């Protein structure tokens, strides 16, 4: 046996497998030998059930630590910020199982680097000028650049990456924590995907489970957004509540997360949709949390077509009808649509000009769909203007005018 001295650098290696494992897993850890006593080494194996655990080839070696790989906790996808909004400042953390944290000096780079995507220290800065494409993030040791890792990052205009679970490896885009299990399937007991050829199946093995998107997006307090997804439960007698949140990348406190909405799920596939407006701008990952009673925790949830989009209201088919004669009425009509559930709270007004191609000015106090033709309007041109507004939010759209 080798005698270890205080401040020696030591690596512990062990191979571990449980009875259900198809292969062994190698685990390494590194530490400095303490200077204040004699210590024994204890391996504490914890399992979620009554599973046998095998350990083999346990080694303790004194060596100068020379890592061959740097690991990063990074998202797979980032959404480009909306035009005119703040840049996303995404913190990156790198670590190695064979590198003491106090000695880790890691530098970061991105390729291709352009005006919209760059590193400032350990933060990736993404502006509204970013070009949608795949990027390579490289982390390397400052003292030994050959020790590095490269991760791929997709930057697009979409807020949620692979919300329809069409990728071959869903765990690259979505994460869940043990003992819950995330899988993808083409069908489930007669239920088919809403979009594409696959849907997600989240098996809950406890009263609380969460699905975390591996996409980071920024939500501005100057805009409103719509979350929507298709969800259903497969065990109808177990009440299941889903809570939608945005996990703030700048905060470690759960209380700082942005709450988007909450629903009770049903045993038939349903579109859940909600409008939300952040009180302050937040960048983070979408989190979908599920809760069941503690006495009934064996639930399976099916999900598909998860997305977050900008809330929009639109006025169209704006027209004027009626008779343009003295003391007769002109009627303004329009159609209203939105991408969320709301009521129409649109405002209207009438505009007048001396020429068809002239400058149109508002007619005072004429803010209804009906305009009475008076003598001062004879020989002039009028337009009907509509500004679409939703009752929920409210969300204000672009003003549309009719032909004169």
């Amino acid at each position: 046996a080798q005698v270890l001295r205080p401040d020696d650098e030591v690596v512990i290696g062990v191979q571990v497998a449980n009875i259900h494992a198809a292969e062994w897993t190698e685990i390494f850890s590194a530490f400095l030998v303490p200077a204040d006593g004699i210590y024994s080494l204890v391996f504490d194996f914890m399992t979620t059930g009554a599973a046998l655990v095998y350990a083999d080839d346990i080694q303790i070696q004194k060596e100068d630590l020379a890592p061959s790989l740097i690991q990063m906790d990074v998202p797979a996808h980032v959404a480009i910020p909306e035009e005119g909004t703040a840049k996303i400042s995404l913190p990156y953390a790198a670590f190695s199982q064979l590198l003491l944290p106090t000695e880790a000096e890691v530098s970061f780079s991105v390729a291709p680097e352009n005006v919209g995507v760059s590193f400032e220290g350990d933060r990736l800065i993404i502006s509204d000028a970013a070009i949608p494409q795949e990027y390579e993030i490289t982390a390397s040791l400052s003292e030994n650049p050959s020790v590095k890792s490269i991760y791929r990052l997709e930057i697009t205009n979409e807020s949620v990456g692979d919300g329809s679970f069409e990728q071959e490896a869903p765990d690259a885009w979505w994460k869940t924590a043990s003992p819950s299990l995330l899988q993808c399937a083409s069908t489930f007991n007669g239920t088919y995907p809403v979009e594409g050829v696959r849907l997600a199946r989240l098996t809950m093995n406890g009263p609380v489970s969460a699905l975390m998107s591996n996409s980071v997006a920024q939500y501005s307090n100057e805009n409103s957004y719509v979350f929507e997804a298709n969800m259903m439960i497969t065990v109808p007698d177990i009440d299941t509540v889903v809570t939608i949140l945005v996990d703030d990348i700048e905060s470690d406190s759960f209380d700082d997360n942005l709450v988007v909405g909450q629903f009770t799920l049903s045993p038939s596939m349903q579109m859940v949709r909600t409008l939300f407006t952040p009180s302050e701008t937040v960048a983070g990952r979408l989190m979908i949390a599920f809760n069941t009673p503690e006495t009934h925790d064996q639930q399976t949830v099916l999900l598909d077509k998860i997305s977050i989009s900008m809330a929009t209201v639109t006025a169209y088919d704006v027209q004027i009808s009626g008779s343009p004669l003295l003391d007769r009425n002109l009627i303004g009509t329009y159609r209203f649509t939105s991408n969320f559930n709301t009521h129409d709270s649109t405002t209207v007004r009438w505009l007048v000009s001396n020429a068809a191609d002239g400058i149109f000015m508002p007619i005072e106090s004429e803010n209804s769909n009906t305009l009475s033709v008076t003598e001062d309007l004879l020989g002039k041109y009028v337009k009907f203007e509509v500004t679409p507004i939703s009752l929920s939010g409210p969300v204000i759209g672009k003003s549309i005018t009719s032909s004169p």
Side-chain angles (χ1 to χ4, degrees):
Q2 183 177 15
V3 176
L4 301 178
R5 296 172 299 176
D7 296 331
D8 274 347
E9 295 177 344
V10 176
V11 174
I12 297 175
V14 60
Q15 292 189 92
V16 180
N18 65 41
I19 194 170
H20 301 295
E23 59 184 14
W24 291 87
T25 300
E26 293 185 349
I27 300 174
F28 294 93
S29 184
F31 65 93
L32 286 174
V33 175
D36 57 349
I38 299 174
Y39 294 83
S40 60
L41 187 62
V42 177
F43 292 90
D44 186 9
F45 298 99
M46 300 181 66
T47 66
T48 58
L52 293 176
V53 177
Y54 299 92
D56 191 17
D57 197 21
I58 299 175
Q59 298 183 22
I60 303 176
Q61 299 179 0
K62 173 184 176 298
E63 60 182 64
D64 294 330
L65 302 181
S68 59
L69 180 66
I70 294 175
Q71 296 176 332
M72 290 188 288
D73 181 16
V74 297
H77 169 265
V78 177
I80 298 174
E82 299 145 24
E83 184 177 357
T85 60
K87 299 176 181 178
I88 294 178
S89 178
L90 183 62
Y92 268 64
F95 59 94
S96 171
Q97 290 180 315
L98 298 185
L99 182 69
L100 297 181
T102 56
E103 300 177 357
E105 293 184 7
V106 180
S107 59
F108 298 90
S109 62
V110 57
E113 184 173 7
N114 57 50
V115 67
V117 182
S118 61
F119 265 100
E120 294 181 4
D122 63 351
R123 284 182 172 266
L124 182 65
I125 308 301
I126 303 169
S127 75
D128 58 5
I131 299 173
Q133 64 182 53
E134 185 178 81
Y135 292 80
E136 285 189 351
I137 308 298
T138 301
S140 59
L141 291 185
S142 300
E143 296 183 357
N144 186 3
S146 64
V147 178
K148 63 183 180 181
S149 284
I150 299 176
Y151 287 77
R152 301 189 185 279
L153 172 68
E154 284 195 25
I155 296 181
T156 72
N157 291 303
E158 299 172 339
S159 296
V160 180
D162 192 27
S164 293
F165 303 94
E166 297 305 306
Q167 300 290 331
E168 291 300 320
D171 56 344
W173 296 92
W174 297 91
K175 305 289 184 183
T176 191
S178 179
S180 296
L181 179 63
L182 175 64
Q183 298 170 306
C184 287
S186 56
T187 60
F188 183 82
N189 290 345
T191 299
Y192 293 85
V194 175
E195 182 175 83
V197 298
R198 308 205 312 166
L199 50 77
R201 180 176 64 195
L202 180 68
T203 303
M204 299 176 59
N205 292 306
V208 179
S209 183
L211 193 62
M212 178 75 80
S213 170
N214 209 6
S215 298
V216 171
Q218 181 169 268
Y219 304 98
S220 170
N221 60 350
E222 298 180 356
N223 296 313
S224 296
Y225 303 87
V226 178
F227 167 87
E228 62 181 18
N230 286 85
M231 301 185 190
M232 67 172 287
I233 55 176
T234 62
V235 185
D237 297 332
I238 300 179
D239 293 333
T240 306
V241 176
V242 56
T243 305
I244 316 299
L245 310 102
V246 174
D247 183 35
D248 190 347
I249 61 174
E250 295 292 349
S251 176
D252 294 328
S253 173
F254 188 82
D255 295 334
D256 292 334
N257 291 337
L258 170 64
V259 178
V260 172
Q262 191 172 74
F263 311 90
T264 298
L265 297 184
S266 73
S268 60
M269 189 65 84
Q270 64 183 117
M271 168 67 78
V272 294
R273 180 186 290 122
T274 186
L275 174 75
F276 67 98
T277 305
S279 59
E280 58 184 32
T281 299
V282 59
R285 307 185 195 204
L286 178 65
M287 178 190 295
I288 307 176
F290 303 90
N291 292 83
T292 61
E294 291 190 5
T295 54
H296 299 84
D297 56 8
Q298 298 295 312
Q299 181 63 279
T300 298
V301 183
L302 305 183
L303 308 98
D304 202 7
K305 202 177 180 182
I306 301 172
S307 68
I308 295 180
S309 58
M310 187 85 75
T312 60
V313 291
T314 305
Y316 65 101
D317 199 14
V318 180
Q319 299 181 6
I320 298 175
S321 62
S323 179
L325 301 176
L326 183 65
D327 296 332
R328 297 289 184 91
N329 290 331
L330 297 177
I331 308 297
T333 59
Y334 67 94
R335 295 176 182 270
F336 174 89
T337 185
S338 68
N339 63 345
F340 57 97
N341 298 326
T342 188
H343 293 285
D344 184 0
S345 188
T346 293
T347 61
V348 301
R349 62 179 184 173
W350 292 87
L351 311 176
V352 64
S353 176
N354 291 323
D357 57 353
I359 298 175
F360 283 77
M361 300 299 293
I363 302 176
E364 186 176 356
S365 301
E366 294 294 346
N367 304 112
S368 69
N369 291 52
T370 303
L371 175 66
S372 178
V373 179
T374 57
E375 286 191 14
D376 58 336
L377 293 178
L378 295 178
K380 298 183 179 180
Y381 295 84
V382 295
K383 288 183 177 181
F384 182 58
E385 182 187 80
V386 177
T387 301
I389 303 175
S390 67
L391 182 62
S392 306
V395 177
I396 303 174
K398 181 181 178 181
S399 297
I400 303 294
T401 57
S402 68
S403 300

